[in-house]
Amino acid sequence: MAYQQLSQVVALDTERPESDALSRLSMLALTSGLRSGLSADALRYHFLAEQLSEVVFHLDGSGRLTFLGPAWTSLSGQSVEEVLGKSLVEVMHPEDRPRVQAVLDALAARVQASFRLELRLMAASGPLWVELAAHSSPTGEGEVLGTLADLTEHRQMQARLQLSDRLATLGMLVPGFAHDMNNPLAFMLANLDYLLSSMEGVAGGTAPERVAEWREALGEVREGAERLRQIIGQLRSFRADSNQGPVDLNQVLDGVGQMVASTLRSRGRLVRDYGARVLVAGNEGGLRQAFLNLVLHAVLALPEGDTEDNEVRLVTREDGEGHVVVEVHDTGAAIPPDVLPRLFEPFFSLRGTEAGPGPVLSVCRDILRGLGGSISVTSSQERGTVFRVTLPMAS
């Protein structure tokens, strides 16, 4: 009984507002009274459970929760008293319950002394991945002691590492792909140019309207081939390099615009609002990666289908103090105020897609800081979102 009463008191005490001093004093007095009935060893373990970020729990011989550390509320969004007395199996995702029951049965039968599983907890906000660590109690009465740890950040990191590995592999293969594709494209372009230039002589007595149609069709084919050549060129240049030197930011942004064109096509339009030609000292590959993440983030902020009213606007200008300012505007939904401070956290991604996590803006910040630059963001429902990058001009 002491476990259950102490769990409830600890939970209530952590949820009381600071202004309710009298209630807090009453709770502390009740807590002290309950603790006074515990042994010194039990008090030590209770204190440790209250300090850990993991949720410490105790199950009786029938698998029901008799103690939960106060971290339970922040993890699950539920109060401790809501779940005390329930089976551990009940608070797990229905698909994972058989695994949890199997673990408890094995512990009860002393087939194994401890287990670690990754499974889903039914939190207030929905399923939440946690690591369950369960251990047989040394009392020999079928009790179980264990912890629940939030795996959200761990899983995000795993997803990022897997994505990075795929991109690294792709980066190694792209030069070979680009070379193999570039050669036939060069033949196509050369032959199309030849056909266009000799069309008049070959057509002979064909009607002029027919010849014009042929020329238009060949021109469209050539335009498509030229577009492929440009895309391949951008892929070949999108790789890590250590060269430092003057970089034309307008050209970098043009290349990024070409790379996001297919994603942007169904969402809106790209507007270029460039000032004078501006050069910065830096790494072209790093700058391309930073601005690709920023522009892709802006593109994904636009809803599908509304191509007339939505746009991504790229602005470059000098600030008159030796810096270049680049702004990436989008007309999408505003970023929630509570999310803004997290945008540049490692592994945090706001704009995910069906293909996987969205761009990570902490990468942009780190690249830009390494070049002596800075980045800031503003967002509102009326004006959309603006990322503002400042970089020192090349001397």
Side-chain angles (χ1 to χ4, degrees), residues 9 13 16-18 20-33:
V9 170
D13 185 44
R16 292 283 179 177
E18 291 295 330
D20 197 357
L22 183 60
S23 296
R24 285 179 60 79
L25 287 173
S26 301
M27 284 296 170
L28 289 172
L30 180 55
T31 306
S32 299

Side-chain angles (χ1 to χ4, degrees), residues 142-163:
E143 300 168 289
V144 175
L145 297 170
T147 58
L148 295 169
D150 188 354
L151 288 180
T152 302
E153 186 173 336
H154 173 70
R155 283 188 160 254
Q156 288 176 343
M157 186 179 297
Q158 281 186 326
R160 291 290 169 197
L161 289 173
Q162 290 172 2
L163 180 60

Side-chain angles (χ1 to χ4, degrees), residues 191-206:
N191 287 321
L192 286 168
D193 287 338
Y194 169 74
L195 289 174
L196 285 168
S197 63
S198 59
M199 182 66 70
E200 296 297 338
V202 173
T206 307

Side-chain angles (χ1 to χ4, degrees), residues 21 23 31 39 51 55 65-66 92 106 125 129 141-143 154 164 178 201 212 215-216 225 229 268 337 360 365 384:
S23 296
T31 306
S39 67
Q51 310 309 310
V55 177
L65 291 157
T66 58
M92 295 300 171
S125 58
W129 280 99
E141 298 179 1
E143 300 168 289
H154 173 70
S164 296
R215 293 181 66 86
E216 182 180 359
R229 188 187 67 80
V360 178
R365 181 200 57 190

